[in-house]
Amino acid sequence: MTATTDLEKTYDPSKVEDEMAALWGAAGAFHAEPADSKPGGKPYCIVIPPPNVTAGLHLGHALNNTLQDILTRYHRMLGENTLWMPGTDHAGIATQTVVDKRLQAEHKPAIQHYKNLESEGKGGRDLFIKKIQSWKDEYEAQITNQLKAMGCSCDWSRQRFTMDDICARAVREAFFRLFKDGLIYRGKRLVNWDPATQTALADDEVEMRDIDGFFWYLRYPLADGSGHVTVATTRPETMLGDTAVAVNPKDPRAAELRGKKVRLPIVNRIIPIVEDDYVVLPDPQGDEKSRYSSGFLKVTPAHDPNDYDIGQRFNLPMINVMAPDGTISDQYGWPLEDFAQSDAGFVLGLDRYEAREAIVDWFRKNGLLEDVKPYRHAVGHSYRSHATIEPYLSDQWYVKVTDDRLSGAALRAMSGDQSSSAATGHDSNENWQGQLRFTPARYANTFRGWHENIRDWCISRQLWWGHRIPVWSIEGKPSKLDPLAREGRIAIQQFGKFCYVCVRDESDKDLVQLLDRLGFVRDPDVLDTWFSSGLWPISTMGWPDEEGNDVLQTWNPSNVLCTAREIITLWVSRMVMFNLYLRNCLPFTDVFIHAMIQDGQGRKMSKSLGNGVDPLDIIHSHGADAMRFTLTSMTTQTQDVRLPVKENLQSGRNTSSKFDIGRNFANKLWNAARFAMGNLTSDDTSQENYELADRWILSRLATILRDTNEALARYEFSQYAQGLYDFFWRDFCDWYIEAVKPTVRDNPSQQRVLATCLDVALRLMHPEMPFVTEKLWQQLNEVAPRRGVGGVSIPAGELLVRAAWPKVDYSLINKQVESDFVTIQTWSAAIREIRQSHQIPPRETIQFISEPDDDKTGKIKQHARYFEIFANAAFSNDASGATRIGTAQIETQTLVVFRQVGDVDHEAEHDRLTKRLDEARKSIATLRGRLNNKGYTEKAPAHLVQQTRDQLASTEKEADALQSQIAAIE
RNA sequence: GGGCGAUUAGCUCAGUUGGCUAGAGCGCUUCCCUUACAAGGAAGAAGUCACAGGUUCGAGUCCUGUAUCGCCCACCA
């Protein structure tokens, strides 16, 4: 009895997956050590894009991580010292919001409660962080389970979290170095302010929505009483903070206004008219902006990003007229003396929208409202509170990414052919120049564009969940700290009236106590999540330890970052800049950006939180390998996965979905392997006598190995999956196994070919379908421990996950053999078609001949037994006494099929033949036309012309044959 | 507003320097429970490759324009 009896008739993923996972776990198969690098061997590393602990994984993650696992397993089998570093991201604002919402939904004390406690000095901050911590623990565990269930071969012993001690240390050290080097500064800038939750938001946390609004045209009188200018605005309430009116220098009115001033209505502030070519000239026929423009722009540097820029250019004062909650206030930067001379008392305390109405009303009543036009435009909203974002002036920490050492370096890192600005400096200290490559290449443009227009990065967040900023501050300029700075324990910077001290090591208790004693106050804010994820490739590996840190030395730079396209700028950019600055090397050399998938209702899966099906549902209903295969085969562009209905998945009911493809394929693999192993009865290796089918499948095997290597090297995952699918199902199962069925039991040589092909196929498919291939390979090791044929190198091993990637001598690719086999396939198909159209029972053997009797027919005759196997048709030297039932023209030969008994429907046959004659005549006309075309015969490649001639000849012949057959029937 | 991508069979999608009669899976029709697999096998029907021009002997593929859909970035004038 062979071991195949152990295998069920249908593949049951759940059992096998658990069994194989246990096997890999026990063997430590995913663990990597720097010392394991073979002499002269290469290391290979992928650092996982850490999933957010806000929620479990969705199918977008499943796709992303499947691709990473394929690369990891592939390179591990290639013999490279391969590490896949896993972990999760604390996702500051997102997680804090999710937890807050959950608490509110459960009617439990939420963040407001804890904020109150904190302000009462009762440690609300720490209590709330504990709440988030337990959320994090729950989802981190869920995420890990999901990844393991998918078969991700991460080195779990190295799993990290962006806020664990090791990563936190890296964050503090990075902050310290950037601070010390003047690349972190304190600045009063406009931020995206959410007045509802009162925190700054990152640009990506702002969602744009189209809003129906108005353009108001307000008249501002000239200070000398000589007239007025009309400004156009969608936000009249901000006029309280206007500090200039701008006009385009090309505007004909600019010259006569030069040097004049404006008296700001309500506020009575005298403000200058400045000339700036940012101002759009009015043009009734122009684009949207110029049609609405009056030519004059009110400049409010404290409440509009563009006005802020103009303010910087003209050194204008910034007057903030709002409180953090979005009400008009004179308490947050409106100079006392300036407010005192105004008539603005009536708007104080009003919400910004109430103030808008009040102010428009005022202009209307005072005859200064010239016009109102409806206008639809996009306005930013907080993705948390949905409140309209207010560009708000506040003190924040910034990373000076505009510095050449950061964004400039990132640009220089880009591969020469992907970088238009062609950074060709030859700074020998920057040996990473030109080493960063994007796949697909077009994403390099996104990356480059981002860095060319980059603005400094606001890294402080008014949140609790995150890395607390390691800076203490005090008003004034204490002097006795300098020795500490010289020791490298702190770095000091002065911004405005304040002295800021960055503490290198928070656990330095003496130091912290000293600062406390001196009256320093710690910054309450935390760092933007991207600050810590930007350090991820090095923080996970124990940076800043360099000396003796083999992990970091071996695997940084890593090889490839695999991600969806949405975070190229946010994350990739920051990793590149930080890694270059802190370690003078890239975080990775390749960036592979894959497509997104959607769930059938048009919802993207790589983006939103908690949206979509749990991969575990798919794994339970179809199996992990099925899910992985299906996802892998659809990576070329945004794909609709047409998910099965969730209820059906959970109830185990059968539904049609894309994942059926994978499940069916896994089952096919399972059964083909069962068949093959059931026939491996001999261990006789004494001879190699191959028949055509054997040579053919070895030729195909060499081809698919080459294609697979090429596809994976180019990140063409869909090609990889599809190529193997076709090879295995079409070539191996449909043709090779069928061809050898009658002979393989008694042919040891053929058994070796069969076993070898199965082994190679399992190895090639292992990265995409790890569980089922490992199981079958284990079985194969028992049934046929010694495998391999000449030209195929498949060293034995214990575990497929650690087995060597196969090597096949490409000289096994044999064009003659392939062409002979294609002939057999073509003829078999033609005979099958005739059988089918005449409804001949499968068991009835029929006869066929090939005319004329030349070399070609000789070939057919030589391989006649394959036609018995594939089409139950016998080559007949003597068809006398049989009834001729059908013909087909194949190249220069005519196939004639005979049947011993049975009637022939002459009328139907006549119709068929006539139809085919028509088709033949049409194609004759086409081919003749082509050959009469001088351009074609002179310029097209010779083999094409010859091919066309052959085709014409054979089609003409076919037409003749058809005609005579028709005549015979008539 | 700027940029990028897409448009191929009823559905979901392949189609790599321009070159055999444009492919696959699902679905559909017909036949087959043949000793690996019915989650299977054999055969078949089904396409104006979005539209209009252009380059070329030859265009799904390259160029220009148009339409529709999608994504990214910018934008409170």
Side-chain angles (χ1 to χ4, degrees):
Chain A
M1 263 293 117
T2 65
T4 49
T5 47
D6 298 349
L7 301 181
E8 316 251 340
K9 191 172 170 185
T10 301
Y11 174 55
D12 176 7
S14 58
K15 264 167 48 188
V16 170
E17 286 168 16
D18 290 347
E19 196 187 322
M20 294 305 108
L23 200 61
W24 294 330
F30 308 154
H31 184 64
E33 282 294 335
D36 292 345
S37 286
K38 292 172 190 159
K42 289 189 291 186
Y44 188 86
C45 180
I46 295 178
V47 178
I48 201 170
N52 293 348
V53 291
T54 43
L57 303 183
H58 50 65
L59 277 182
H61 292 109
L63 169 62
N64 178 246
N65 288 291
T66 295
L67 301 184
Q68 290 175 72
D69 195 44
I70 287 171
L71 292 170
T72 301
R73 287 178 184 266
Y74 173 55
H75 285 272
R76 190 184 285 125
M77 291 176 79
L78 283 174
E80 297 169 14
N81 190 11
T82 301
L83 169 66
W84 185 8
M85 175 72 78
T88 49
D89 191 308
H90 69 278
I93 191 170
T95 311
Q96 180 165 325
T97 307
V98 168
V99 172
D100 183 38
K101 276 189 182 152
R102 157 80 79 86
L103 291 172
Q104 283 179 32
E106 292 173 350
H107 303 291
K108 289 180 181 161
I111 194 159
Q112 198 52 50
H113 169 75
Y114 293 96
K115 278 185 176 168
N116 295 340
L117 284 183
E118 180 70 12
S119 61
E120 293 162 18
K122 291 180 186 162
R125 180 170 184 147
D126 290 342
L127 288 171
F128 190 71
I129 287 176
K130 279 207 182 102
K131 291 268 172 204
I132 308 180
Q133 192 78 35
S134 66
W135 175 284
K136 171 253 163 184
D137 290 342
E138 181 186 340
Y139 280 97
E140 182 179 58
Q142 184 183 334
I143 289 165
T144 307
N145 283 340
Q146 287 172 310
L147 290 172
K148 285 182 176 169
M150 287 164 51
C152 293
S153 62
C154 303
D155 186 347
W156 297 108
S157 69
R158 300 187 186 278
Q159 185 167 12
R160 295 261 82 86
F161 173 58
T162 47
M163 262 169 70
D164 66 23
D165 291 343
I166 291 175
C167 293
R169 189 165 147 250
V171 166
R172 287 195 300 270
E173 178 68 14
F175 189 96
F176 176 81
R177 291 197 196 173
L178 292 163
F179 187 94
K180 185 164 68 77
D181 298 346
L183 287 170
I184 285 181
Y185 64 90
R186 185 91 175 147
K188 207 179 196 42
R189 295 290 178 84
L190 288 182
V191 296
N192 301 305
W193 186 258
D194 175 354
T197 55
Q198 304 198 17
T199 179
L201 294 178
D203 291 344
D204 52 294
E205 289 161 341
V206 176
E207 36 182 57
M208 303 309 287
R209 281 194 233 156
D210 277 342
I211 296 293
D212 285 313
F214 295 95
F215 253 109
W216 284 276
Y217 293 82
L218 308 178
R219 287 184 176 155
Y220 286 6
L222 293 174
D224 61 9
S226 62
H228 69 266
V229 295
T230 301
V231 299
T233 181
T234 57
R235 299 205 57 203
E237 69 278 12
T238 64
M239 60 79 61
L240 300 169
D242 284 4
T243 54
V245 168
V247 64
N248 193 308
K250 294 195 198 88
D251 193 308
R253 296 167 294 185
E256 58 189 82
L257 288 166
R258 195 160 294 146
K260 295 205 173 184
K261 303 222 174 209
V262 163
R263 174 180 294 276
L264 192 61
I266 304 177
V267 190
N268 302 320
R269 187 181 300 140
I270 306 296
I271 57 177
I273 295 174
V274 299
E275 294 179 34
D276 193 294
D277 55 16
Y278 171 74
V279 180
V280 175
L281 290 166
D283 177 2
Q285 265 78 52
D287 62 12
E288 195 175 33
K289 257 187 188 171
S290 57
R291 270 179 290 150
Y292 281 95
S293 172
S294 71
F296 295 98
L297 177 68
K298 64 191 272 303
V299 183
T300 324
H303 291 280
D304 181 285
N306 296 311
D307 294 10
Y308 179 89
D309 292 342
I310 297 176
Q312 293 295 103
R313 288 200 280 276
F314 292 94
N315 205 16
L316 299 172
M318 294 185 278
I319 298 176
N320 175 31
V321 298
M322 263 182 226
D325 64 357
T327 59
I328 304 298
S329 169
D330 59 349
Q331 298 297 307
Y332 294 89
W334 195 336
L336 195 61
E337 60 284 4
D338 184 83
F339 181 75
Q341 58 164 3
S342 78
D343 306 318
F346 73 99
V347 285
L348 281 190
L350 295 183
D351 174 76
R352 44 192 170 149
Y353 294 104
E354 296 166 352
R356 177 178 297 179
E357 286 181 33
I359 285 170
V360 169
D361 232 39
W362 188 97
F363 272 85
R364 188 178 289 122
K365 280 187 187 138
N366 288 275
L368 295 175
L369 181 66
E370 187 170 296
D371 199 3
V372 182
K373 289 183 189 170
Y375 182 64
R376 189 174 174 80
H377 59 141
V379 177
H381 291 75
S382 163
Y383 90 94
R384 305 177 57 189
S385 66
H386 307 296
T388 309
I389 291 299
E390 188 64 38
Y392 194 72
L393 204 54
S394 73
D395 287 309
Q396 304 287 345
W397 289 105
Y398 289 86
V399 175
K400 197 175 177 186
V401 288
T402 46
D403 194 283
D404 182 68
R405 289 171 284 176
L406 295 174
S407 59
L411 285 167
R412 290 196 294 282
M414 293 183 69
S415 168
D417 56 342
Q418 295 191 338
S419 154
S420 72
S421 48
T424 48
H426 292 293
D427 188 336
S428 58
N429 198 31
E430 293 188 346
N431 59 9
W432 39 260
Q433 280 189 14
Q435 299 299 305
L436 182 65
R437 174 172 297 276
F438 287 83
T439 306
R442 63 173 180 276
Y443 291 113
N445 293 330
T446 312
F447 184 84
R448 192 181 56 244
W450 165 267
H451 288 94
E452 284 170 350
N453 300 301
I454 199 162
R455 285 155 61 168
D456 282 348
W457 170 24
C458 174
I459 50 168
S460 40
R461 294 287 180 277
Q462 291 67 52
L463 300 170
W464 286 346
W465 179 242
H467 296 275
R468 190 153 174 190
I469 293 175
V471 173
W472 278 252
S473 66
I474 195 169
E475 196 164 345
K477 206 171 178 182
S479 54
K480 56 173 95 168
L481 294 172
D482 288 347
L484 292 172
R486 276 195 295 277
E487 287 172 36
R489 288 164 75 187
I490 59 168
I492 307 169
Q493 286 203 66
Q494 196 80 24
F495 296 108
K497 288 182 284 187
F498 286 85
C499 172
Y500 293 89
V501 169
C502 176
V503 172
R504 189 173 202 166
D505 180 5
E506 275 175 51
S507 61
D508 192 341
K509 291 247 167 62
D510 295 346
L511 178 57
V512 172
Q513 278 167 11
L514 172 68
L515 291 172
D516 280 348
R517 273 204 309 281
L518 292 172
F520 275 83
V521 178
R522 182 167 189 180
D523 194 308
D525 292 351
V526 299
L527 287 168
D528 180 10
T529 300
W530 298 110
F531 192 94
S532 55
S533 33
L535 295 164
W536 185 243
I538 55 176
S539 64
T540 49
M541 296 186 187
W543 184 87
D545 288 344
E546 290 279 353
E547 204 67 26
N549 185 346
D550 294 342
V551 174
L552 190 64
Q553 308 294 346
T554 304
W555 286 303
N556 182 256
S558 66
N559 294 75
V560 59
L561 178 80
C562 182
T563 179
R565 64 175 161 241
E566 70 224 9
I567 53 174
I568 299 174
T569 47
L570 294 172
W571 188 42
V572 177
S573 150
R574 282 149 196 181
M575 284 191 285
V576 169
M577 292 191 293
F578 277 173
N579 216 121
L580 289 177
Y581 187 70
L582 298 167
R583 286 209 80 229
N584 196 34
C585 69
L586 283 163
F588 32 73
T589 47
D590 278 17
V591 178
F592 171 67
I593 294 168
H594 61 77
M596 295 200 280
I597 54 177
Q598 50 186 245
D599 66 358
Q601 277 105 56
R603 293 178 297 189
K604 296 284 174 299
M605 306 289 273
S606 293
K607 199 168 192 179
S608 38
L609 305 171
N611 167 19
V613 171
D614 184 343
L616 291 180
D617 288 342
I618 310 287
I619 291 172
H620 290 145
S621 63
H622 288 73
D625 292 324
M627 180 180 77
R628 293 169 60 116
F629 175 82
T630 306
L631 291 172
T632 306
S633 60
M634 343 187 289
T635 50
T636 45
Q637 63 165 14
T638 302
Q639 300 269 345
D640 191 339
V641 294
R642 201 182 336 169
L643 293 173
V645 180
K646 192 163 186 170
E647 296 75 54
N648 288 344
L649 276 178
Q650 284 163 349
S651 69
R653 250 180 296 161
N654 243 5
T655 40
S656 166
S657 87
K658 278 248 171 172
F659 295 101
D660 291 353
I661 298 172
R663 185 194 53 185
N664 295 353
F665 185 48
N667 192 53
K668 188 74 178 179
L669 176 54
W670 182 261
N671 277 294
R674 275 177 69 221
F675 171 83
M677 290 191 272
N679 284 284
L680 300 179
T681 52
S682 161
D683 55 1
D684 173 11
T685 58
S686 59
Q687 43 183 334
E688 275 194 5
N689 52 332
Y690 298 151
E691 58 173 87
L692 178 68
D694 299 320
R695 292 185 202 284
W696 173 75
I697 198 66
L698 288 172
S699 178
R700 299 301 306 150
L701 189 71
T703 306
I704 191 61
L705 175 75
R706 191 189 56 197
D707 293 351
T708 300
N709 284 335
E710 284 176 7
L712 287 176
R714 294 179 191 158
Y715 302 108
E716 287 170 354
F717 293 98
S718 165
Q719 296 282 327
Y720 161 62
Q722 281 301 317
L724 279 165
Y725 180 94
D726 290 340
F727 166 75
F728 194 81
W729 201 316
R730 303 273 86 94
D731 292 345
F732 186 68
C733 294
D734 289 353
W735 293 99
Y736 183 66
I737 286 186
E738 294 305 323
V740 303
K741 262 181 185 171
T743 52
V744 67
R745 273 194 169 270
D746 306 317
N747 184 343
S749 173
Q750 195 155 54
Q751 285 178 27
R752 277 171 51 223
V753 174
L754 183 65
T756 301
C757 287
L758 179 62
D759 185 319
V760 171
L762 290 174
R763 289 182 203 232
L764 297 185
M765 286 188 276
H766 181 257
E768 58 173 342
M769 307 178 82
F771 295 106
V772 65
T773 51
E774 179 73 83
K775 173 67 181 177
L776 293 170
W777 204 72
Q778 294 298 317
Q779 210 71 29
L780 187 58
N781 272 351
E782 286 185 28
V783 178
R786 295 174 57 209
R787 304 184 291 275
V789 297
V792 179
S793 161
I794 39 171
E798 295 281 315
L799 287 173
L800 180 54
V801 64
R802 284 279 179 184
W805 194 251
K807 289 200 181 85
V808 177
D809 193 336
Y810 292 150
S811 69
L812 288 174
I813 298 176
N814 185 326
K815 278 190 174 168
Q816 185 56 50
V817 163
E818 295 220 16
S819 132
D820 286 355
F821 203 81
V822 165
T823 301
I824 290 168
Q825 291 173 312
T826 312
W827 281 69
S828 300
I831 298 171
R832 284 166 176 175
E833 189 190 339
I834 290 167
R835 292 189 70 110
Q836 181 80 13
S837 64
H838 289 274
Q839 300 278 301
I840 296 169
R843 290 180 188 286
E844 179 186 331
T845 303
I846 56 172
Q847 278 82 47
F848 73 100
I849 58 169
S850 165
E851 294 168 336
D853 193 356
D854 60 8
D855 290 352
K856 260 281 197 261
T857 293
K859 265 254 153 70
I860 302 290
K861 213 186 290 186
Q862 184 190 336
H863 297 299
R865 66 177 194 85
Y866 286 117
F867 298 102
E868 292 174 26
I869 298 169
F870 293 137
N872 195 11
F875 190 90
S876 165
N877 286 315
D878 177 20
S880 55
T883 314
R884 179 172 168 143
I885 58 167
T887 62
Q889 187 71 28
I890 304 167
E891 294 171 12
T892 53
Q893 308 300 112
T894 305
L895 162 72
V896 186
V897 177
F898 297 89
R899 193 181 185 185
Q900 288 300 345
V901 288
D903 303 320
V904 177
D905 182 341
H906 287 289
E907 204 168 323
E909 186 67 8
H910 186 265
D911 284 355
R912 270 166 41 91
L913 295 172
T914 314
K915 207 170 149 194
R916 283 178 50 182
L917 181 59
D918 277 356
E919 281 166 14
R921 280 176 177 157
K922 261 183 222 163
S923 72
I924 286 170
T926 310
L927 295 168
R928 276 198 185 132
R930 194 179 299 170
L931 286 169
N932 286 337
N933 181 336
K934 267 196 160 179
Y936 180 74
T937 50
E938 282 164 17
K939 292 190 188 171
H943 73 274
L944 270 180
V945 178
Q946 189 52 48
Q947 213 168 332
T948 310
R949 289 212 175 93
D950 292 349
Q951 215 176 330
L952 177 61
S954 85
T955 313
E956 278 169 339
K957 218 165 154 185
E958 182 183 7
D960 288 348
L962 286 165
Q963 210 148 27
S964 61
Q965 285 173 55
I966 291 168
I969 293 174
E970 283 165 349

